[in-house]
Amino acid sequence: MFSDFFKTLGNRFIAGGDWNAKHSHWGSRITNTLIKSSLDGSSDHTPVILILSPIAIPHDSGTDYLHNSKTDWDCFREYLESNIDLKLSLKTNEEVDNASLYITNLIQVAAWTSTLS
């Protein structure tokens, strides 16, 4: 099963996949031949992008947070309520993408506006 598969990979590996898929390799008696793409939105799995680099990429953990213990959540809520446009059209993929960027940006600005460093 899984342990047999991982033994074939050696000491250094990255393995990704739909590990709960129905297949005899994973010990299932059933093989699911209906494979869905996670890129077309039909999958219930979240796609992951892995970027490998031959050098270490420095990471500043102090800049990753939108909020901290000094965040004024009432200010955050008020900013969103007064600036959000709930009448966006979501009929095409492009409109959904634009709306996603819009709400992400709005949340970021609300957090930055209501959080002291």
Side-chain angles (χ1 to χ4, degrees):
M1 295 206 217
F2 285 121
S3 58
D4 295 333
F5 168 68
F6 289 124
K7 286 177 188 175
T8 67
L9 299 178
N11 294 330
R12 301 173 118 194
F13 65 88
I14 296 173
D18 188 354
W19 301 114
N20 66 349
K22 305 284 187 212
H23 198 279
S24 58
H25 286 312
W26 319 133
S28 176
R29 291 173 288 151
I30 303 168
T31 299
N32 184 356
T33 58
L34 299 174
I35 297 175
K36 293 182 178 180
S37 168
S38 61
L39 300 177
D40 66 6
S42 65
S43 175
D44 61 348
H45 296 78
T46 303
V48 175
I49 297 173
L50 174 67
I51 300 172
L52 300 176
S53 174
I55 60 169
I57 300 172
H59 177 67
D60 180 7
S61 62
T63 60
D64 292 337
Y65 301 99
L66 286 175
H67 66 89
N68 59 34
S69 61
K70 299 176 186 175
T71 300
D72 181 343
W73 292 108
D74 289 328
C75 178
F76 178 87
R77 187 179 310 102
E78 289 170 16
Y79 184 90
L80 286 179
E81 288 175 353
S82 63
N83 290 287
I84 195 164
D85 178 7
L86 297 176
K87 296 182 180 178
L88 299 174
S89 175
L90 301 172
K91 294 181 180 174
T92 67
N93 288 343
E94 184 177 359
E95 288 177 341
V96 171
D97 288 344
N98 289 338
S100 296
L101 291 173
Y102 166 75
I103 192 67
T104 300
N105 183 264
L106 191 65
I107 290 169
Q108 288 173 329
V109 172
W112 294 329
T113 301
S114 57
T115 301
L116 300 173
S117 353

